Amino acid sequence: MSRSFRIDPGGRLSGILRVPGDKSISHRSVMLGAIAEGVTDVTGFLEGADAISTMNVFRALGVRIDGPREGRVTVHGAGMHGLRGAAGPLDCGNAGTAMRLLIGLLAGQRFESTLVGDESLSHRPMRRVAEPLAAMGARIETAAGCPPVRILPAQALHGIRYAMPVASAQVKSALLLAGLYAQGETTVIEPAPTRDHTERMLEAFGVSLGREGAAVTLRGGQALRACTIDVPADISSAAFFLVGASIAPGSELLLEHVGINPTRTGVIEILRRMGADISLRNPRQAGGEPVADLQVRAAALRGIEVPPELVALAIDEFPALFVAAACAEGRTVVTGAAELRVKESDRIAVMADGLQALGVRATPTPDGMVIEGRGGEAGVFAPGVVAAHADHRIAMSFAMAGLRARGALTIRDTLNVGTSFPGFETLARTAGLRIEGRGEDA
Ligand code: S3P
């Protein structure tokens, strides 16, 4: 099945929107709800393919889960030792978060599991979790470091102190989940701050954690108590609209109830440094996570050198930020972002190819990109065709480029947009993007 977007040039974005629920928090709500005692009620759940993959995996592990219906999910917790071995392989689809966190969670179980994924996930590195988990006593087999991943029952896990070589919330989370089943303490030290949704949600489920600087410590054997979870709108999905409204003259948008956890707001900080006009309205708390309504107005952007310390705080937003950089006046330089090469696609190579196909001077580097912005011109992007390589965030980023294009854009291979942003086309069209979906299931 193939899908594509056609974007007619121009237009502006306006109105009040709520983008779908946070993907990271949705995954974790099912995982922690499944091993908790009692019933966890979730609202605002992301009804996208990735989070649904996680739900289906836990159903296969014997957990009763109702929903999703209009963002409501009810997880009937099986308790710490209530999961049951599945009859066949557990399919994580396109979801790296599902797979990496599950490896940690399943490492401490008394049954065997095999995790599989789609074509993209099957090429993503899993040693980064398998190796430290092996040091905890886990028995994990990969296919040369990639899925399928086989997890054999371990005798007993023991806590370790682990300094992560890469800044990865997925690795940190996998070790903390395994740490729940380990004897003694598990400490994870991060080289740079990464999203802390696992830590916050574990605390909401009654687990006590030590958080000191770059280190987080958890004592094994603690039970989780069910709770209610209000999932905020995903800042990573809001990012396309933050960029779209910034680059399209005359735009003004209000994005409601967006998660603004400080480990996720790098995109706001980077766009503001480029001159974007973004303000936070009505900041408040929702289930242990800070949220706000984001107001964004069009602004003249300028190129910047992105500070490497902001990279991990905006890691999923670089495809959109590269589009913003093309619309800025002057050069933008991104460094320290080699992790982009091992996401749903090689986001450095695929974005550079797409930008070049649309006439932008974009030079990929081993750990980032140099983009010569054309902010002075009304039409930044030449008409053309871009391959999204089945990467949802690449597809949505180039869709926003249509707002500053000189002719129609075609974006190929957009089916996976539904992994993180079901309803993107409709919402974007409502806001003013001249987008039309094409393909077999259009
Ligand atoms: C995620 C962590 C990030 C991010 C991914 C979601 C998570 O991956 O890119 O989309 O939910 O923990 P890394 O931990 O590999 O950086």
Side-chain angles (χ1 to χ4, degrees), residues 23-24 28 97 100-101 124 128 167-171 173 195 315-316 339 343-344 393:
K23 184 148 74 76
S24 294
R28 288 159 171 81
T97 306
R100 296 212 179 99
L101 271 57
R124 297 186 64 189
R128 53 179 60 198
S168 167
Q170 293 178 352
V171 175
S173 302
R195 64 192 70 196
I315 193 67
D316 291 337
E339 275 295 297
K343 295 296 178 186
E344 285 83 328
R393 299 199 200 283

Side-chain angles (χ1 to χ4, degrees), residues 298-315:
L301 301 182
R302 52 186 176 269
I304 60 164
E305 288 195 11
V306 175
E309 62 273 19
L310 290 179
V311 166
L313 309 180
I315 193 67

Side-chain angles (χ1 to χ4, degrees), residues 60-76:
L61 293 168
V63 181
R64 188 178 144 205
I65 305 173
D66 307 325
R69 198 178 308 132
E70 288 168 11
R72 286 185 175 273
V73 169
T74 306
V75 187
H76 300 263

Side-chain angles (χ1 to χ4, degrees), residues 22-28 50 96-98 100-101 124-125 128 164 166-174 194-198 234 236 264 312 314-317 339-340 342-344 347 392-393:
D22 188 282
K23 184 148 74 76
S24 294
I25 298 176
S26 296
H27 282 302
R28 288 159 171 81
D50 274 13
T97 306
R100 296 212 179 99
L101 271 57
R124 297 186 64 189
R128 53 179 60 198
M164 293 194 293
V166 285
S168 167
Q170 293 178 352
V171 175
K172 172 177 65 173
S173 302
T194 66
R195 64 192 70 196
D196 65 354
H197 304 303
T198 303
D234 198 329
S236 297
R264 297 285 300 280
I315 193 67
D316 291 337
E317 286 65 76
E339 275 295 297
L340 294 177
V342 289
K343 295 296 178 186
E344 285 83 328
R347 287 181 172 160
H392 54 137
R393 299 199 200 283

Side-chain angles (χ1 to χ4, degrees), residues 71-391:
R72 286 185 175 273
V73 169
T74 306
V75 187
H76 300 263
M80 283 290 287
H81 299 286
L83 301 180
R84 300 279 164 261
L90 300 164
D91 188 358
C92 298
N94 192 246
T97 306
M99 187 171 286
R100 296 212 179 99
L101 271 57
L102 273 161
I103 296 173
L105 183 55
L106 293 172
Q109 307 298 325
R110 299 190 183 111
F111 51 83
E112 179 180 329
S113 305
T114 299
L115 297 173
V116 297
D118 72 1
E119 168 68 19
S120 151
L121 184 51
S122 297
H123 291 101
R124 297 186 64 189
M126 294 297 147
R127 272 199 192 112
R128 53 179 60 198
V129 285
E131 280 182 3
L133 288 170
M136 295 175 75
R139 294 165 64 211
I140 297 168
E141 295 171 5
T142 63
C146 292
V149 179
R150 187 163 165 236
I151 303 144
L152 298 151
Q155 290 303 329
L157 299 186
H158 51 85
I160 55 167
R161 185 177 173 83
Y162 185 66
M164 293 194 293
V166 285
S168 167
Q170 293 178 352
V171 175
K172 172 177 65 173
S173 302
L175 299 185
L176 292 176
L177 294 175
L180 287 172
Y181 292 89
Q183 285 161 8
E185 284 188 348
T186 299
T187 297
V188 186
I189 301 150
E190 29 185 25
T194 66
R195 64 192 70 196
D196 65 354
H197 304 303
T198 303
E199 296 91 308
R200 286 172 185 255
M201 203 182 287
L202 280 169
E203 284 173 334
F205 276 90
V207 173
S208 94
L209 292 177
R211 297 175 74 173
E212 235 189 283
V216 51
T217 300
L218 171 154
R219 187 174 28 80
Q222 299 184 61
L224 281 68
R225 280 189 316 272
C227 63
T228 57
I229 296 171
D230 171 8
V231 182
D234 198 329
I235 191 168
S236 297
S237 296
F240 308 111
F241 290 91
L242 293 177
V243 168
S246 295
I247 64 174
S251 296
E252 177 163 358
L253 272 180
L254 188 72
L255 298 158
E256 291 182 313
H257 206 67
V258 180
I260 52 159
N261 181 317
T263 59
R264 297 285 300 280
T265 48
V267 62
I268 296 178
E269 178 65 25
I270 293 168
L271 284 172
R272 279 181 172 162
R273 285 177 188 229
M274 296 175 78
D277 178 358
I278 300 171
S279 45
L280 272 51
R281 310 261 164 208
N282 190 17
R284 55 203 183 268
Q285 290 286 317
E289 291 278 349
V291 300
D293 305 320
L294 305 185
Q295 187 175 52
V296 52
R297 293 196 187 96
L301 301 182
R302 52 186 176 269
I304 60 164
E305 288 195 11
V306 175
E309 62 273 19
L310 290 179
V311 166
L313 309 180
I315 193 67
D316 291 337
E317 286 65 76
F318 279 95
L321 286 168
F322 291 147
V323 167
C327 300
E329 184 89 58
R331 175 180 293 178
T332 292
V333 181
V334 176
T335 52
E339 275 295 297
L340 294 177
R341 293 200 178 272
V342 289
K343 295 296 178 186
E344 285 83 328
S345 69
D346 176 341
R347 287 181 172 160
I348 293 176
V350 173
M351 283 303 301
D353 286 351
L355 289 169
Q356 288 164 9
L358 303 183
V360 176
R361 278 176 58 204
T363 311
T365 62
D367 67 343
M369 195 157 0
V370 179
I371 295 175
E372 305 296 340
R374 306 176 58 150
E377 300 161 43
V380 168
F381 301 97
V385 180
V386 166
H389 288 261
D391 185 326

